[in-house]
Amino acid sequence: MTATTSHDPAASATQRDVVRLGAIGVDSSHLPEFTRRIAALHDAGDTRCRVTSFWAAPQADMPAEDVAKWVADTQAMGVTAADSLDAMLDEVDGVMVLAVSGSKHRDLALPALKRGLPTYIDKPLANTLDDARAIAAAAAEHDAPCYSASSLRFVAEIDELDRDALGEIVAVDAYGPGELHDLMPGVLFYGVHSIELVDAIWGPGVKRVSAEHFADRDLLKLEYADGRHASIRLDRKGSYAFGATVHGSQSVAPFVVDFATVYDRLVAAMVRFFEGQAPPVTLDRIVENVAVMVAANASIERGGAWVELDV
């Protein structure tokens, strides 16, 4: 089978006791973290999914000693290294693109998408809007289920919001860490978490973004086409915490994210996706999140000027 051959992975997966998952990229702690959680769900009888193989994409972007540990931990759970990407794709029913740099996600995901394989792409979906659009176009063309998500999209506190008591949500003030990394410039590296947190609270529709950069923080303002507005503070000196205050027409609901179950909820949604359920978030919303980050970076370069989203 070549890298561009289409098949029906959902149909083939239903004929097996195990839904075989392959991971592309080994330079992220998500490789052993996701593998361990998926194995635990499988062993408990809560999923048919297992990570069975991985392919180490060329040139890892994290320190060699970290990558070696993540690979060793993953192999210790029975996951095997594939000789090539094509060889791995021949033997799996779904794919996780886990390379740490969003700049590589398009090229790493396309071979799986062209086969029609269900594909999860770690955050951020891409570093550029062109790459994000190319991923979405390939998924649509080849009828390949695909999504990307930050773990912050699955926080329990969002499900627990009393929306009846809130009334109409009119504004959101969110915050989170603002760590920076050369691989994903500006807000792309860690801003993705808080941006997806806001999107998970009340959905898409951002019209324009204003952002300012300071040594210890980035400040973002989002205006929506329907008049909603949100603010996001990305701190580099505060404690490592995410949270938000949701302002409704009838009440206000603040929350701080409890990380105890965040990764478990992310992985639970992931295995349901690989077992054939609809993605937990549509790809067009993730493309909009990329557009928000790209606009925020452009606004920072322009001294905080409002930048319209190009979607």
Side-chain angles (χ1 to χ4, degrees):
M1 184 181 290
T2 67
T4 56
T5 300
S6 297
H7 70 292
D8 185 351
S12 60
T14 58
Q15 297 169 6
R16 301 189 185 93
D17 292 333
V18 176
V19 177
R20 305 163 302 171
L21 304 182
I24 299 175
V26 298
D27 58 354
S28 167
S29 63
H30 287 182
L31 175 65
E33 288 292 338
F34 291 173
T35 298
R36 178 173 62 82
R37 285 173 167 82
I38 292 170
L41 289 171
H42 181 273
D43 292 346
D46 294 328
T47 183
R48 294 188 296 118
C49 295
R50 284 206 76 123
V51 181
T52 56
S53 57
F54 66 83
W55 178 68
Q59 191 178 348
D61 289 311
M62 298 298 280
E65 59 271 23
D66 291 338
V67 173
K69 182 179 186 308
W70 296 329
V71 168
D73 289 348
T74 302
Q75 290 179 312
M77 291 181 273
V79 183
T80 59
D83 293 332
S84 69
L85 179 56
D86 277 354
M88 190 194 80
L89 295 178
D90 282 342
E91 299 297 330
V92 297
D93 307 302
V95 166
M96 303 182 296
V97 177
L98 302 182
V100 69
S101 177
S103 65
K104 297 180 177 180
H105 288 173
R106 171 184 177 173
D107 289 342
L108 295 177
L110 285 180
L113 295 174
K114 289 178 179 179
R115 291 173 178 247
L117 285 166
T119 302
Y120 166 81
I121 302 173
D122 213 350
K123 55 75 192 167
L125 173 67
N127 278 11
T128 69
L129 198 49
D130 283 347
D131 279 2
R133 287 171 172 158
I135 290 168
E141 178 183 355
H142 299 283
D143 197 24
C146 179
Y147 81 103
S148 173
S150 157
S151 61
L152 271 294
R153 184 171 288 279
F154 300 95
V155 302
E157 290 78 10
I158 295 176
D159 290 343
E160 294 164 359
L161 285 171
D162 188 342
R163 294 181 183 261
D164 290 335
L166 279 166
E168 179 187 3
I169 299 176
V170 297
V172 176
D173 298 319
Y175 60 86
E179 296 177 21
L180 301 172
H181 201 294
D182 290 342
L183 289 173
M184 287 153 281
V187 306
L188 280 160
F189 179 53
Y190 243 73
V192 60
H193 293 304
S194 296
I195 288 166
E196 288 206 36
L197 176 69
V198 171
D199 182 77
I201 290 170
W202 67 354
V206 178
K207 179 182 179 182
R208 62 178 189 164
V209 179
S210 170
E212 296 180 275
H213 174 79
F214 302 89
D216 62 345
R217 67 197 185 281
D218 295 315
L219 302 177
L220 280 62
K221 293 183 286 187
L222 281 56
E223 286 193 357
Y224 292 71
D226 60 5
R228 292 175 291 153
H229 56 94
S231 65
I232 302 173
R233 187 178 73 256
L234 304 174
D235 287 316
R236 284 182 278 279
K237 284 189 176 179
S239 64
Y240 188 94
F242 292 91
T245 299
V246 182
H247 300 266
S249 58
Q250 299 173 180
S251 67
V252 176
F255 66 82
V256 178
V257 172
D258 179 356
F259 263 87
T261 63
V262 167
Y263 264 28
D264 290 337
R265 290 167 64 89
L266 167 69
V267 170
M270 191 186 301
V271 296
R272 290 193 295 269
F273 163 74
F274 283 122
E275 289 174 341
Q277 293 189 24
V281 58
T282 57
L283 201 51
D284 61 319
R285 283 177 62 174
I286 301 300
V287 172
E288 179 177 303
N289 293 164
V290 173
V292 168
M293 292 184 284
V294 169
N297 283 347
S299 177
I300 287 171
E301 292 178 357
R302 301 174 195 175
W306 284 100
V307 175
E308 301 279 333
L309 254 65
D310 181 15
V311 291

